[in-house]
Amino acid sequence: MPSRQLGEVLVSNKAVLDWVERQRQLCQPDRVFWCDGSEEEKKALTAGAVSRGILIELDQKKWPGCHLHRSHPSDVARAEHLTYICSPTEAEAGPTNNWADPAQMYKRLHAMCDGAMRGRTMYVIPYLMGPLGSPLSRVGIELTDSIYVALSMRIMTRMGSTAYDQLAGLDDFNRGLHCMLDVDPSRRFICHFPQDNTIISVGSAYGGNALLGKKCLALRIASWMARQEGWMAEHMLILGVESPAGERTYVAAAFPSACGKTNFAMLIPPAHFNGWKVWTVGDDIAWMKPGADGRLYAINPENGYFGVVPGTNWKSNPTAMQCMSRDTIFTNVALTPDLDVWWEGKDGPPPSECVDWKGAPWTPASKDKAAHPNSRFAAPMTNNPALSPEVNNIHGVPISAIIFGGRRADTMPLVYQAFNWIHGVYIGATMGSETTAAAAGAVGEVRRDPMAMLPFCGYNMGAYFQHWIAMRQHMQRPPRIFHVNWFRKDGSGKFIWPGFGDNMRVLKWIIDRCNGRAHGDETELGWMPRLEEFDLEGMPDGAAQRLEAAQRIVLSEWRRELDLQDHFFTKLKGDVPKELLLQRELLASRLSMMSQGMPEGDRAV
Ligand code: GTP
Ligand code: SPV
Ligand code: MN
């Protein structure tokens, strides 16, 4: 066989060749570069990106293989208002998604992409979501004119010829077209065509908008496929807890963007949990399917982590610090004069001077932040010292618990357990959380974010709830369902619960419940730990009072919560399954009974 030069075509699959050729004719790049995923290719592309100033090489002694990228200042987070589900009818997209008619949207986008890569290179990125050979894995091909996207996709997915191995001769692959255009918010669209397994993203080169394997394929398109095919695509971390005796229990947890998945998936237990160990399977996305034994099995479709940087340090998340210690692309952190990186919440004092995420001079006296609040690291999962040995298991890992959790300053206790599956689906469906910097728009406003999927569900949210309910029939041993909140605040605005490693105490109760080893007290909300049995050993004085405060059910707060849930269900119109409306009624009546015997003002929920 003649030796292949970097960038030359490496696939003979006709469906791939035809589709790429059609996109080439549309976008008219000067050059098409077929990625193979090799080390040699990575070196060449990285050198090219550095020479063009797209990547800045960091101090290679401190940060081997690491680079900094600065995105356009208008392009620093997911753009939910510019994200569309283009299914044939508006009803299929549902009231929580932006919808556009597919034919019209194709026309509009094709006009925008017409000649858009003139003078540029089109990178052809074959990628595999999930382990090679897994029946759950899916293939995508992303065409992009961003070398930063090409290098990031290499970290975040199993990129290269391995994807063609999974595809074999078939034409069953996601077609993803990404054009940077002029990175102008007024010409920015992230569009999904679930029925065509197609994504077109224009005008953004940031994270979830541009790395099409992640939110676009692995959540929006996959959630639609999963409903057709009887599985689940969820915004969930997957972790394994190993006991000193070697027993491994796997849990999946859905927290909204920037609400703690990466941190939880990399948890290091406090000293007193000697012999306990948490293994990371995934930190953002879970694909789950019932197995022959009646349990729910999960794979992580990703190959790396695109994690929030600010607040990460050797105390809060040493595992993440190790993940980003080599071969990592940082986006929108600050750069020091000696080519080190800095961000708010890093260990040690801020540098006396540096260059902020926009490239402007910064000192501790500056009023703006040095790193963008949504600055991120893209690191290969193989950097993770706690990477689960099961991460490449083609069958996935059996899930014992599903944990829902939002960022709530009030109302929501630290932890409770659903009475059963359907009650758990209701708890997930009514989740609320404060908005974060992960999406463009206001930060800190409580909104409903069902199952942490509000921005990621590729079809009608009511039908999605129905799918969750229906999945129960396919599992003789369904996961138990829990709700947690690490973010409840006290009267002075401080977090009541220390979080991070101490979340092991909550996780321990959860897995003990799953394995039939811990008591639960029945409350209006669900099962709660018995406070006197909850493991607080090694925590500072006052921990018992703080736990009690974190678990408190405050009727006035729940009254408001029920109203907010009602508003949300009303917004979904007739699409909410009646089972969930009934669960809300049951909760209201339990709380109403609780209010009997309370002072006048607290009664009548
Ligand atoms: P996405 O990648 O956007 O989907 O987010 P994520 O859910 O993986 O969020 P991540 O773990 O990166 O956490 C984001 C923010 O939450 C960071 O600022 C963390 O410092 C903070 N955080 C995470 N866990 C805890 C916790 O247990 N307690 C508190 N108080 N903050 C936490
Ligand atoms: C999120 O916003 O949930 C993320 C980051 O995980 S991004 O990939 O940019 O969507
Ligand atoms: Mn996410």
Side-chain angles (χ1 to χ4, degrees):
M1 214 169 103
S3 72
R4 175 182 166 267
Q5 300 289 305
L6 277 186
E8 281 180 1
V9 66
L10 72 158
V11 63
S12 55
N13 182 314
K14 189 158 175 340
V16 174
L17 293 172
D18 286 353
W19 174 70
V20 173
E21 175 55 20
R22 281 201 304 280
Q23 310 314 304
R24 189 193 66 76
Q25 286 174 15
L26 173 68
C27 302
Q28 299 166 38
D30 281 10
R31 185 169 174 233
V32 178
F33 187 102
W34 294 78
C35 294
D36 64 9
S38 65
E39 267 305 314
E40 191 194 0
E41 172 183 280
K42 178 194 172 188
K43 272 203 196 107
L45 293 184
T46 304
V50 169
S51 72
R52 289 161 57 200
I54 294 166
L55 292 182
I56 299 170
E57 189 174 80
L58 300 178
D59 174 351
Q60 293 297 295
K61 283 214 183 69
K62 258 191 195 159
W63 298 99
C66 295
H67 295 83
L68 166 66
H69 172 73
R70 294 193 190 111
S71 72
H72 190 280
S74 77
D75 188 31
V76 293
R78 280 183 298 100
E80 295 180 3
H81 57 301
L82 304 173
T83 300
Y84 284 76
I85 302 297
C86 306
S87 36
T89 65
E90 186 164 6
E92 283 164 280
T96 59
N97 280 314
N98 301 311
W99 174 81
D101 174 71
Q104 281 173 20
M105 196 45 121
Y106 274 130
K107 201 168 155 205
R108 189 172 183 186
L109 293 168
H110 285 157
M112 293 171 90
C113 295
D114 191 356
M117 294 189 188
R118 264 182 225 143
R120 303 175 65 81
T121 298
M122 175 193 267
Y123 299 92
V124 181
I125 305 169
Y127 64 94
L128 175 61
M129 301 306 288
L132 179 62
S134 170
L136 273 169
S137 294
R138 291 289 182 277
V139 172
I141 301 182
E142 176 167 357
L143 306 179
T144 179
D145 56 349
S146 160
I147 196 169
Y148 163 75
V149 166
L151 285 163
S152 299
M153 285 293 284
R154 188 182 191 280
I155 296 172
M156 294 304 300
T157 69
R158 292 161 173 92
M159 189 266 257
S161 26
T162 183
Y164 296 132
D165 295 343
Q166 175 101 9
L167 186 61
L170 305 177
D171 72 349
D172 178 22
F173 63 95
N174 179 271
R175 288 141 168 83
L177 175 61
H178 171 245
C179 293
M180 287 174 69
L181 308 183
D182 40 6
V183 198
D184 174 351
S186 71
R187 296 185 352 113
R188 179 173 300 160
F189 290 105
I190 298 92
C191 297
H192 307 73
F193 303 85
Q195 283 75 4
D196 304 339
N197 197 4
T198 292
I199 303 159
I200 303 180
S201 166
V202 297
S204 166
Y206 193 84
N209 299 332
L211 311 178
L212 301 185
K214 195 170 175 62
K215 306 296 174 172
C216 300
L217 171 54
L219 289 177
R220 297 194 191 97
I221 297 277
S223 62
W224 184 87
M225 290 176 168
R227 176 165 173 251
Q228 319 295 312
E229 300 167 6
W231 51 284
M232 307 168 87
E234 301 296 334
H235 193 203
M236 292 181 180
L237 67 93
I238 309 163
L239 63 80
V241 190
E242 184 171 335
S243 75
E247 176 191 67
R248 282 189 189 172
T249 309
Y250 295 92
V251 312
F255 308 157
S257 302
C259 289
K261 289 183 299 301
T262 302
N263 280 273
F264 197 45
M266 297 178 182
L267 183 153
I268 295 191
H272 126 78
F273 283 83
N274 199 5
W276 289 84
K277 166 100 188 143
V278 170
W279 299 97
T280 316
V281 181
D283 82 325
D284 198 46
I285 298 176
W287 285 356
M288 307 192 286
K289 189 173 186 173
D293 63 356
R295 292 194 288 178
L296 187 62
Y297 282 78
I299 64 162
N300 167 17
E302 299 194 277
N303 190 50
Y305 311 118
F306 187 62
V308 175
V309 175
T312 309
N313 56 57
W314 286 101
K315 187 163 172 288
S316 67
N317 193 346
T319 310
M321 293 301 285
Q322 276 174 276
C323 288
M324 62 175 97
S325 66
R326 58 191 310 123
D327 302 320
T328 291
I329 301 177
F330 292 92
T331 302
N332 294 343
V333 298
L335 181 68
T336 68
D338 56 353
L339 300 179
D340 194 350
V341 278
W342 193 78
W343 55 81
E344 279 70 19
K346 197 180 178 213
D347 305 85
S352 55
E353 54 166 339
C354 65
V355 177
D356 72 9
W357 66 273
K358 291 180 186 161
W362 186 95
T363 71
S366 304
K367 64 178 194 324
D368 293 331
K369 289 193 163 29
H372 189 277
N374 191 38
S375 51
R376 300 253 167 183
F377 66 89
M381 69 178 181
T382 47
N383 280 1
N384 183 350
L387 185 65
S388 168
E390 299 298 324
V391 76
N392 289 315
N393 185 329
I394 61 170
H395 304 295
V397 294
I399 299 297
S400 296
I402 287 175
I403 307 173
F404 294 117
R407 182 184 283 267
R408 294 298 296 271
D410 50 44
T411 317
M412 285 297 168
L414 180 63
V415 61
Y416 65 101
Q417 181 185 357
F419 292 123
N420 50 40
W421 179 261
I422 187 105
H423 181 224
V425 174
Y426 162 74
I427 289 170
T430 53
M431 247 169 79
S433 194
E434 292 166 21
T435 50
T436 65
V443 168
E445 288 176 1
V446 173
R447 69 170 182 183
R448 295 299 117 182
D449 191 348
M451 282 86 171
M453 284 288 278
L454 179 72
F456 307 119
C457 185
Y459 61 101
N460 187 304
M461 192 57 82
Y464 170 76
F465 295 160
Q466 194 62 60
H467 180 52
W468 263 84
I469 293 171
M471 284 305 292
R472 175 67 182 88
Q473 292 162 256
H474 306 287
M475 296 181 279
Q476 286 78 49
R477 298 161 66 191
R480 304 293 157 93
I481 300 183
F482 298 79
H483 189 280
V484 301
N485 176 23
W486 314 141
F487 301 95
R488 198 169 188 175
K489 289 182 175 169
D490 62 17
S492 59
K494 291 212 179 71
F495 291 122
I496 300 177
W497 181 250
F500 301 101
D502 282 306
N503 294 336
M504 180 68 203
R505 302 169 189 278
V506 175
L507 183 55
K508 172 82 168 27
W509 182 73
I510 288 172
I511 61 164
D512 282 347
R513 286 292 292 168
C514 294
N515 296 326
R517 288 195 291 253
H519 286 295
D521 281 340
E522 187 180 324
T523 74
E524 289 72 11
L525 303 186
W527 302 104
M528 283 191 177
R530 255 180 218 172
L531 297 187
E532 60 278 16
E533 288 174 12
F534 193 84
D535 191 339
L536 296 172
E537 203 183 312
M539 292 186 81
D541 288 349
Q545 287 86 335
R546 282 214 300 283
L547 176 66
E548 194 274 327
Q551 287 296 83
R552 203 169 292 160
I553 302 171
V554 179
L555 271 175
S556 54
E557 293 178 349
W558 276 95
R559 222 171 271 147
R560 201 177 54 221
E561 181 68 14
L562 285 170
D563 278 347
L564 292 170
Q565 294 183 3
D566 193 38
H567 287 150
F568 180 59
F569 281 172
T570 305
K571 184 178 167 190
L572 296 184
K573 305 196 192 80
D575 298 326
V576 184
K578 63 178 184 325
E579 291 90 336
L580 301 189
L581 299 172
L582 193 57
Q583 286 292 331
R584 185 183 165 281
E585 292 301 315
L586 288 170
L587 172 61
S589 68
R590 290 195 300 270
L591 288 164
S592 159
M593 284 199 289
M594 180 183 172
S595 77
Q596 313 295 317
M598 291 263 180
E600 189 64 29
D602 268 344
R603 262 190 231 144
V605 172

